[in-house]
Amino acid sequence: MELTELTAVQLLDGYRKGEFGPVEATRAALERAARIQPEVNAFVRLTERDALARARESEERWRRGEPAGLLDGVPVTVKDILLLRGHPTLRGSKTVDPGGHWDEDAPSVARLREHGAVFLGKTTTPEFGWKGVTDSPLSGITRNPHDPSRTAGGSSGGGAAAVALGAGPLSLGTDGGGSVRIPAAFCGIFGLKPTYGRVPLYPPSAFGTLSHVGPMTRDAADAALLLDVIGVPDSRDWSALGPAPGSFVAALGAGVRGLRVAYSPSLGGQVAVRPAVAAAVRRAVEGLARLGAYVEETDPDLTDPVEAFHTLWFGGAARLTQRFAPHQRELLDPGLREICAQGARYTALDYLAAVDVRMDLGRRMGLFHDTYDLLVTPTLPITAFEAGAEVPRGSGHRRWTGWTPFTYPFNLTQQPAATVPVGADEDGLPVGLQLVAARHRDDLVLRAAHALYEAGLTPAGS
């Protein structure tokens, strides 16, 4: 097996045994990144010189038997929304000055640095992460690794494509309405939106407490390892949670036997799901039952909160660009300009009404999880559509939220939610299954996902 096909866990095992080293793994990942870039466009920039310097330092530590941390020498990519010291963070926008002072790491990046990770580069994002596909005025269109005529999804599309194609086994993404889970599902990898606050975020997102930082990885075991590293408090984030109650890696092996699983194929008929997607998800749910979970087909008490989400999301975008000069507004993605204009029309009472919807939704999902440990849905009702479009042609949707009804509700409620690849449609495009748990039960989401991988119920595990 090539080094670019190995998980982070497998790379670390190879380092430990002396079978290969961080320099060799980093060179392989950088070569793969350069090779895929012309067709897929996953990167804003590669940081080759810094990566190889860190890899050499890591290799020396492994030679001495003194690794610096849990991810020493593992190649990682970082979405160009998150600060990476020494490199510009342009957020997909021509309005950001690359000549600024880039002397600080985001909390998650700082934790990776402390644990010896090797930063390969910054991955693409739509402008300020505003939509569920990845294209921007700054860096163009990011394409799907399974079919470059299709979208990689977004807004963490570059990171998802990079992981899927072997340009580093780990990537940091952000998720404000599905932005880790959407591209992970479209690209056929694992993606986790942890409980809000589990991974600190700084600078704070324009979209407030909708936005989470989360892992995109080749499997659930890698995500648990990454979450153990990045899921610790940081004083710069006033809303960060305290330390996790235990290791997420240590909890992986408990399996799903005895867990109460609610399977909602369409949120009570509210969502039209493509037959190929529905069939792949149902097969995986049947697999959970064979593994010992108590599965019941039922729906949460959830009515589509899209208008409340739009109020919070569009209002955040308007605030972000409030002080932009006219010439800066002209540089923006036209769709972003539209939602900023709409967001600027909302009043404080509109905003508070949306918060009321959010709180009630959180109450209802809290009660739901008094009965069920996990909720299972499709991650998305469709597979990847044409690249360069916000919505599928002929869908009738106006905005990206029209085709993501399974993802953004759980940003409103701040629950942990993950996508697991469980098959493909007739065109070979990946299908994702979503696992949702009560707030603070990230361990249950990771346990169930790991069980699917271990049982061979995912393409990567078969």
Side-chain angles (χ1 to χ4, degrees), residues 33-56:
R35 192 180 316 146
I36 69 174
Q37 180 63 10
E39 185 171 39
V40 175
N41 188 31
F43 290 90
V44 178
R45 73 191 62 83
L46 292 171
T47 54
E48 181 175 2
R49 185 171 63 181
D50 288 358
L52 289 171
R54 287 185 63 80
R56 285 189 285 269

Side-chain angles (χ1 to χ4, degrees), residues 224 228 246-254 447:
D228 274 346
S247 164
F248 294 105
V249 169
L252 281 178
R447 272 173 54 188

Side-chain angles (χ1 to χ4, degrees), residues 59-260:
E59 192 147 313
E60 177 59 23
R61 290 191 293 268
W62 280 104
R63 188 191 64 77
R64 298 195 308 265
E66 300 172 353
L70 296 178
L71 291 172
D72 201 352
V74 175
V76 178
T77 59
V78 178
K79 184 179 181 179
D80 201 35
I81 292 286
L82 299 168
L83 296 176
L84 175 63
R85 193 174 74 214
H87 301 280
T89 297
L90 303 181
R91 302 198 285 174
S93 183
K94 293 180 177 179
T95 67
V96 179
D97 179 8
H101 297 289
W102 306 105
D103 53 3
E104 191 171 19
D105 284 328
S108 51
V109 175
R111 302 294 84 75
L112 285 171
R113 194 181 296 279
E114 291 164 2
H115 281 260
V118 173
F119 301 108
L120 298 178
K122 301 300 289 292
T123 56
T124 53
T125 175
E127 195 162 25
F128 301 114
W130 81 271
K131 60 183 174 180
V133 294
T134 301
D135 58 71
S136 75
L138 182 69
S139 55
I141 298 170
T142 297
R143 299 178 180 275
N144 194 291
H146 298 268
D147 179 351
S149 72
R150 312 290 183 111
T151 180
S155 63
S156 306
V163 170
L165 289 169
L170 307 177
S171 190
L172 286 180
T174 62
D175 188 317
S179 289
V180 161
R181 291 160 290 155
I182 295 165
F186 275 180
C187 293
I189 65 166
F190 183 78
L192 172 68
K193 178 185 77 68
T195 299
Y196 179 80
R198 172 49 54 215
V199 182
L201 178 60
Y202 176 85
S205 170
F207 304 108
T209 58
L210 293 172
S211 291
H212 306 54
V213 177
M216 292 182 292
T217 59
R218 299 181 75 89
D219 62 18
D222 269 12
L225 177 59
L226 182 50
L227 191 58
D228 274 346
V229 169
I230 64 176
V232 295
D234 188 288
S235 300
R236 294 171 290 174
D237 184 351
W238 65 271
S239 61
L241 297 176
S247 164
F248 294 105
V249 169
L252 281 178
V256 297
R257 183 168 299 280
L259 293 183
R260 302 159 298 170

Side-chain angles (χ1 to χ4, degrees), residues 18 20 74 86 93 106 127 200 242 252 256 263 296 321 349 362 364 414:
F20 46 79
V74 175
S93 183
E127 195 162 25
L252 281 178
V256 297
Y263 168 44
E296 179 182 347
T321 60
L349 290 178
R364 283 182 278 149
Q414 303 187 337

Side-chain angles (χ1 to χ4, degrees), residues 131-135 141 151 385-393 400 403:
K131 60 183 174 180
V133 294
T134 301
D135 58 71
I141 298 170
T151 180
F385 53 90
E386 61 270 25
E390 183 185 343
V391 300
R393 186 181 295 115
W400 62 272
W403 52 270

